[in-house]
Structure formats: C-alpha cells, structure tokens
Amino acid sequence: MREAVLGPRLRADADRSRSNTLAVGDEVALEEADDSAPRIVGVGPRRAHLERAAAGGRGRVLMQVIAANADQAMIVASLADPPFRPGLVDRWTLLARRGGLEPTLCVNKVDLGTLDEARAVVEEARIPLPVIFVSAESGYGLDSLGAALAGRSTVMVGHSGVGKSSLLRRLLPDADAATGVLSERTRKGRHTTTSSRLYPLEDGGVLIDTPGVRSVILGPTHASEVAAVFHEIADAPPCRFRPCTHRTEPGCTVLQAVARGEIADPVYQRYRKLLEEAETR
C-alpha cells in the first residue's frame, strides 16, 4: 500500500462509510505500468479520519474528509493576532475525537506576550488538552513540538492566520509551504494553504497540513459528543433522566454544578453554544 499525498478530487472504487473520495493520508495500492502513470487499484480501510462540514447548495451541509489515518490532531491556535478563540479549539476537539484522533493544543505566537500570559489564557478557558507553547518567530518550543510529532501521523489544523505554515517551515525548512499576513481590515488570516498536503518526517512520522479556516461547521452532532469536549460536564454524576442535554431537565447534575460554581459559567455557555449550533444543522 502507498499513501495518497494528493487527491481530494480523485475517485476510486472503494467501500467508504461516508464517501468514496480519496483524502490525504489514504493508503492505496498502485498498479505500475511501463508506458503510463501508476493506476490506483485498491484503497485500504481508514483507521481514523478528520472531517468537517462544508456549506453546499440550497442550505445543504456536505461532510468533507480532509485527512485520513492520522493518529493525532495538532490544533494550532495563537496567543494574539488573531486572538485565542476557545470556541474554535472546542470545535476541532469534537471533530478530532469523532474521527478517532487524539487532540493536542499548540499555542503559537507566544512571543507576542509572555509565557505566563499564554498559560493563563489556556487555564482561564479550561481547555482539557495537552498543551504545547511555541513561537514560529523565535523558535521557542519547537523542540517540544517536534517531540510530540515524532514517529506519529499528525494532522495540523487551525484558524486562518495562527501560523501553521510558518511552523511547518520551521519544522521542515525544505517544505514549500507559503506564508501570509493577516488582513488588516478583518484581522482574519489569509489562506496560505489551499489544500491538504502530506509531509514525511525524518523520524518516520508524517505531518498533514490543512488549509486554515475562518469557521468550523460541525455537521450532525449528538449532545453526548458536545459534552465530551468539556471534562467538567462529561465527568459530572449521572443526571436523573438520560439522555440529558443539560439545559432545562429536572434533576440535571450539570445545572446543579453550574449553580454551585463547580462548573465555570463561561465553560457551560460554550457547551450551550456548541450544542445549539449542532442542533441547527
């Protein structure tokens, strides 16, 4: 089997639970030919995948697999410029776990503040993920990031402008990733990666870089998937009625914990926002 490093638009006769469109990271069998390009003759099963919803015509939501067979999702955020957005981290965490990936948070641009400030931002947001603090500009934390990537298959995701392409160039100087600047008018990043790309790492692992996005659409989502993003909610004692959406149900232990201050109100409001967004799809 060989990995398809291109090919979101290629199609093959393959049994897919969601789609038979190839994605970066899919493992394919090729038939070599002396007088023509190799031909895909088989596609291996996906062990994991990362997919997000994209807006289709007439209000439809289409699910798009942006990476396959990765072990972990490296969610890149920035301390500033653009500002840290816990809600986007929540969305990527949900999508990663839904597809069987282990999420890790990478906070870039710590040079725009202090390390203590970066740690305080993550702590205040109650992000229940392993965290790596880095600066693509100064090189701080790149050893820690490299160690987290070593020997693993990782898909790198994040908001536009957080510096994914800059980090990639520091990790792989020979990679041809473009870098861009923030739009001064909107303070949102310009897309510098337009399609997913797979880069082999020296230690045998691989890194899949994906386009930066300005929003993340979840697609069909169950309340339990949303609750699992927030460990205070997921770890709460069982509610009186199951399933419980933790909004108005009597005997809801999550609502009781919020009232007692055991679950921070900003965390609960992020849960509500994520759940309500999922229910509108």
Side-chain angles (χ1 to χ4, degrees):
M1 293 294 236
R2 294 190 181 181
E3 289 176 335
V5 298
L6 302 174
R9 298 180 184 276
L10 296 179
R11 302 187 69 83
D13 293 330
D15 182 14
R16 287 278 180 256
S17 60
R18 304 300 293 254
S19 169
N20 70 341
T21 302
L22 290 180
V24 174
D26 271 328
E27 296 171 347
V28 302
L30 300 178
E31 183 178 76
E32 305 285 353
D34 294 336
D35 55 351
S36 62
R39 184 171 66 92
I40 295 175
V41 295
V43 183
R46 284 178 181 157
R47 299 179 297 278
H49 67 275
L50 182 67
E51 68 176 0
R52 65 183 180 90
R58 298 180 180 179
R60 295 180 303 165
V61 173
L62 305 176
M63 301 306 296
Q64 176 188 26
V65 177
I66 58 176
N69 297 322
D71 304 317
Q72 64 177 342
M74 188 64 64
I75 304 170
V76 182
S78 54
L79 175 60
D81 202 24
F84 184 76
R85 296 190 175 184
L88 280 174
V89 177
D90 296 339
R91 286 162 172 76
W92 281 122
T93 298
L94 189 154
L95 293 177
R97 288 178 174 161
R98 177 192 289 171
L101 282 73
E102 175 187 335
T104 296
L105 175 61
C106 175
V107 180
N108 189 25
K109 302 188 181 183
V110 296
D111 56 287
L112 297 181
T114 67
L115 186 57
D116 286 342
E117 288 172 343
R119 287 172 173 161
V121 164
V122 175
E123 177 63 26
E124 182 179 355
R126 307 288 184 91
I127 303 294
L129 299 178
V131 186
I132 302 170
F133 298 97
V134 301
S135 169
E137 179 68 22
S138 70
Y140 175 82
L142 291 180
D143 289 343
S144 297
L145 178 58
L149 301 175
R152 306 191 69 183
S153 177
T154 305
V155 55
M156 186 178 288
V157 297
H159 188 61
S160 299
V162 297
K164 290 193 302 89
S165 294
S166 296
L167 284 173
L168 183 64
R169 291 184 68 88
R170 293 298 298 261
L171 293 168
L172 298 169
D174 294 332
D176 58 353
T179 56
V181 296
L182 288 174
S183 164
E184 290 297 329
R185 182 174 64 86
T186 64
R187 308 304 297 168
K188 294 180 179 180
R190 300 172 183 170
H191 297 298
T192 55
T193 302
T194 58
S195 61
S196 298
R197 295 284 303 276
L198 185 149
Y199 298 91
L201 301 175
E202 291 184 358
D203 59 15
V206 298
L207 180 61
I208 300 174
D209 187 28
T210 63
V213 298
R214 294 179 180 175
S215 62
V216 180
I217 304 174
L218 299 177
T221 305
H222 193 275
S224 61
E225 290 183 304
V226 178
V229 173
F230 307 94
H231 68 86
E232 299 102 322
I233 296 175
D235 294 342
C239 296
R240 179 180 176 186
F241 298 106
R242 304 292 293 271
C244 184
T245 64
H246 312 307
R247 288 185 291 196
T248 60
E249 295 90 339
C252 175
T253 60
V254 169
L255 291 175
Q256 294 169 2
V258 173
R260 293 192 298 266
E262 296 170 2
I263 296 177
D265 187 66
V267 171
Y268 177 70
Q269 294 305 323
R270 281 175 23 222
Y271 162 79
R272 287 286 300 263
K273 182 178 180 180
L274 208 59
L275 181 62
E276 290 165 6
E277 175 186 317
E279 289 177 336
T280 62
R281 297 295 172 183

